[in-house]
Amino acid sequence: GEDVEQSLFLSVREGDSSVINCTYTDSSSTYLYWYKQEPGAGLQLLTYIFSNMDMKQDQRLTVLLNKKDKHLSLRIADTQTGDSAIYFCAEYGNDMRFGAGTRLTVKP
Amino acid sequence: DGGITQSPKYLFRKEGQNVTLSCEQNLNHDAMYWYRQDPGQGLRLIYYSQIVNDFQKGDIAEGYSVSREKKESFPLTVTSAQKNPTAFYLCASSTQGQGVPYYGYTFGSGTRLTVV
């Protein structure tokens, strides 16, 4: 398909790990990004990964990139209620393309 | 602090009115973008500008207009030709080093437009 695809909803318990998945479209995409959007706010860049990397870790966040399958994932360790938000993946090839966003709900 | 400011946060439009959404950045970014966000549909690009006095249509430009007279400012006008303008509008900016937005886009906090 031509769209960046994400599942729309994910619900986890506080303290568990969350894994948000994304399938992107362009095998030549140079950068891939994860953004977080809290209610009524703009998007905040969480992390990005260059296409020549397989993994990037930043504190509780781990990004995995499988270029062969054009699959990107974001793992949030020890998920907290403050992590409840919408998470967007995005790819940059010739232009920036965003997924529809995954709404993460963290239950206490 | 550097950032990107959108105003107003909430805007109400009557049928047949044009309204203008403001977007100002002090990040010295060359490129600026306008997106529309509807529930469950992600972000759709309305217009973008890579340099002053130049801008291009995005995927859903019909019923919208923009100007880029200053590097810092990229206002969006929602015209009466836009039949379904109720949405959340996001402005963003980025560097354009060799055509690639290093470190992604910086977003404003959005304007929620409602038709009354």
Side-chain angles (χ1 to χ4, degrees):
Chain A
E2 294 297 321
D3 294 335
V4 177
E5 295 183 348
Q6 303 178 239
S7 54
L8 292 181
F9 302 99
L10 176 66
S11 180
V12 301
R13 291 282 180 194
E14 191 173 20
D16 289 348
S17 291
S18 306
V19 179
I20 303 171
N21 294 302
C22 171
T23 302
Y24 61 97
T25 66
D26 187 349
S27 59
S28 65
S29 288
T30 310
Y31 298 92
L32 296 123
Y33 308 88
W34 284 104
Y35 288 86
K36 176 183 181 181
Q37 185 182 32
E38 297 186 356
L43 276 66
Q44 172 193 358
L45 181 66
L46 278 180
T47 187
Y48 65 94
I49 187 168
F50 295 162
S51 59
N52 62 357
M53 299 169 65
D54 298 324
M55 185 182 84
K56 181 179 180 181
Q57 188 152 4
D58 184 1
Q59 299 183 331
R60 293 191 297 123
L61 305 179
T62 303
V63 178
L64 295 178
L65 176 60
N66 180 331
K67 286 187 69 177
K68 174 177 173 291
D69 296 334
K70 291 187 282 188
H71 185 263
L72 183 72
S73 68
L74 173 70
R75 178 178 180 267
I76 305 173
D78 187 24
T79 312
Q80 302 298 305
T81 55
D83 294 322
S84 293
I86 301 175
Y87 291 81
F88 291 89
C89 71
E91 62 173 333
Y92 187 84
N94 293 319
D95 57 8
M96 187 74 84
R97 294 189 180 192
F98 290 87
T102 299
R103 183 180 295 275
L104 174 65
T105 301
V106 182
K107 298 181 179 178
Chain B
D1 288 340
I4 183 165
T5 302
Q6 290 186 242
S7 63
K9 189 168 179 64
Y10 300 97
L11 186 58
F12 298 90
R13 192 194 94 167
K14 293 181 180 179
E15 296 281 352
Q17 267 187 343
N18 292 353
V19 291
T20 298
L21 284 60
S22 171
C23 179
E24 303 275 336
Q25 55 99 359
N26 60 2
L27 299 165
N28 200 33
H29 284 171
D30 292 308
M32 297 186 74
Y33 312 85
W34 274 106
Y35 287 92
R36 170 178 171 144
Q37 184 177 21
D38 295 281
Q41 293 193 39
L43 304 179
R44 291 185 289 169
L45 182 64
I46 305 172
Y47 269 98
Y48 66 100
S49 168
Q50 295 178 314
I51 196 169
V52 174
N53 291 323
D54 188 43
F55 47 83
Q56 284 76 42
K57 293 181 179 179
D59 300 322
I60 57 163
E62 186 174 350
Y64 300 97
S65 65
V66 293
S67 63
R68 187 86 186 276
E69 297 176 1
K70 299 186 299 182
K71 186 175 184 178
E72 301 80 15
S73 179
F74 192 41
L76 173 74
T77 297
V78 183
T79 75
S80 57
Q82 172 50 242
K83 297 307 179 188
N84 184 23
T86 294
F88 190 54
Y89 291 86
L90 287 163
C91 180
S93 68
S94 73
T95 58
Q96 281 290 106
Q98 298 183 347
V100 177
Y102 294 101
Y103 314 121
Y105 292 177
T106 301
F107 281 85
S109 57
T111 293
R112 185 164 299 279
L113 174 63
T114 303
V115 174
V116 296

